[in-house]
């Protein structure tokens, strides 16, 4: 997996300053919601990956949920974890083209702001790994009441890409800007 470097000479001084300020935030509160009709607590490997990566990044997990592809359940989790309860909320699954894939349709209208760059970057990085199939990803992110919300495909590889390459390295900066 080849990704862009974090060389400071490619970034503006203001971005560097913002990151330095954001680093002072300390560990962030995070929650993971896996949306699936087929997974169980024993077979939820993507949830395991998300929890592991969040903890390895030094953040605090305040919730892990496994719910069905149901708009009411998705919306309930969204409202339960956004705002003061968490700084970061990730939904895994339900972002494909299938009829039951409704995470994006449920979450996107609830966001205060959409983070277009997250979905664009996710698809670009996915292209390096899976080629043209990357166009089927509907990864989307945004903010709600100061919480960073991301919707990722449900596979462990996709989740690892989203968290390791895009979200966790920039999470404190995202949270600082959203608040």
């Amino acid at each position: 997996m080849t990704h862009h470097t974090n060389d400071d000479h490619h970034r503006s001084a203001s971005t560097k300053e913002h990151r330095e300020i954001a680093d002072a935030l300390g560990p962030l509160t995070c929650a993971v919601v896996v949306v699936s009709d087929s997974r169980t607590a024993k077979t939820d490997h993507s949830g395991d990956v998300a929890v592991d990566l969040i903890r390895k990044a030094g953040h605090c997990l305040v919730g892990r949920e496994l719910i069905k592809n149901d708009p009411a359940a998705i919306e309930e989790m969204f409202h339960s974890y956004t705002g003061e309860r968490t700084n970061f909320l990730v939904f895994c699954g339900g972002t494909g083209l299938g009829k039951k894939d409704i995470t994006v349709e449920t979450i996107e209208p609830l966001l205060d702001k959409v983070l277009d760059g997250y979905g664009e970057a996710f698809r670009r990085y996915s292209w390096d790994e899976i080629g043209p199939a990357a166009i089927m990803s509907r990864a989307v992110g945004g903010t709600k009441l100061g919480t960073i919300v991301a919707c990722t495909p449900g596979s462990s590889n996709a989740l690892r890409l989203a968290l390791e390459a895009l979200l966790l390295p920039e999470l404190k900066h995202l949270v600082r800007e959203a608040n």
Side-chain angles (χ1 to χ4, degrees), residues 65-86:
E65 311 285 346
L66 176 60
I67 62 172
K68 299 291 182 199
N69 281 296
D70 172 65
I74 294 168
E75 194 168 330
E76 179 184 341
M77 289 296 111
F78 180 88
H79 290 300
S80 174
Y81 284 106
T82 53
E84 292 183 16
R85 187 166 179 199
T86 59

Side-chain angles (χ1 to χ4, degrees), residues 48-105:
D48 294 340
V49 167
V51 167
D52 185 49
L53 292 173
I54 287 167
R55 286 185 172 148
K56 280 183 179 172
H59 301 300
C60 178
L61 186 75
V62 297
R64 177 178 176 175
E65 311 285 346
L66 176 60
I67 62 172
K68 299 291 182 199
N69 281 296
D70 172 65
I74 294 168
E75 194 168 330
E76 179 184 341
M77 289 296 111
F78 180 88
H79 290 300
S80 174
Y81 284 106
T82 53
E84 292 183 16
R85 187 166 179 199
T86 59
N87 301 119
F88 176 57
L89 172 60
V90 61
F91 284 88
C92 315
T95 63
L97 296 177
K99 289 180 183 177
K100 288 187 172 187
D101 293 325
I102 54 162
T103 301
V104 173
E105 289 77 10

Side-chain angles (χ1 to χ4, degrees), residues 2-172:
T2 304
H3 298 293
H4 304 276
T5 65
N6 287 332
D7 296 342
D8 283 336
H9 71 277
H10 291 295
R11 301 217 168 90
S12 71
S14 64
T15 299
K16 185 178 180 198
E17 290 168 12
H18 289 181
R19 279 202 185 100
E20 289 169 359
I21 293 166
D23 280 342
L25 290 176
L28 300 175
T29 53
C30 305
V32 175
V33 178
V34 174
V35 181
S36 174
D37 289 335
S38 60
R39 294 188 189 166
T40 66
K42 288 184 179 182
T43 63
D44 177 22
H45 302 301
S46 294
D48 294 340
V49 167
V51 167
D52 185 49
L53 292 173
I54 287 167
R55 286 185 172 148
K56 280 183 179 172
H59 301 300
C60 178
L61 186 75
V62 297
R64 177 178 176 175
E65 311 285 346
L66 176 60
I67 62 172
K68 299 291 182 199
N69 281 296
D70 172 65
I74 294 168
E75 194 168 330
E76 179 184 341
M77 289 296 111
F78 180 88
H79 290 300
S80 174
Y81 284 106
T82 53
E84 292 183 16
R85 187 166 179 199
T86 59
N87 301 119
F88 176 57
L89 172 60
V90 61
F91 284 88
C92 315
T95 63
L97 296 177
K99 289 180 183 177
K100 288 187 172 187
D101 293 325
I102 54 162
T103 301
V104 173
E105 289 77 10
T106 306
I107 298 296
E108 206 166 29
L110 302 174
L111 296 171
D112 293 333
K113 292 191 177 192
V114 175
L115 187 62
D116 294 318
Y118 162 68
E120 293 163 358
F122 181 86
R123 284 179 284 282
R124 170 61 190 91
Y125 280 36
S126 293
W127 187 278
D128 292 341
E129 293 184 12
I130 63 172
I135 67 171
M136 289 188 274
S137 168
R138 297 185 312 128
V140 67
T143 64
K144 179 66 175 189
L145 302 172
T147 299
I148 301 300
V149 179
C151 301
T152 72
S155 78
S156 294
N157 285 346
L159 188 56
R160 188 175 300 283
L161 171 67
L163 292 176
E164 281 184 336
L166 302 171
L167 296 166
L168 291 173
E170 207 62 34
L171 191 56
K172 288 183 180 181

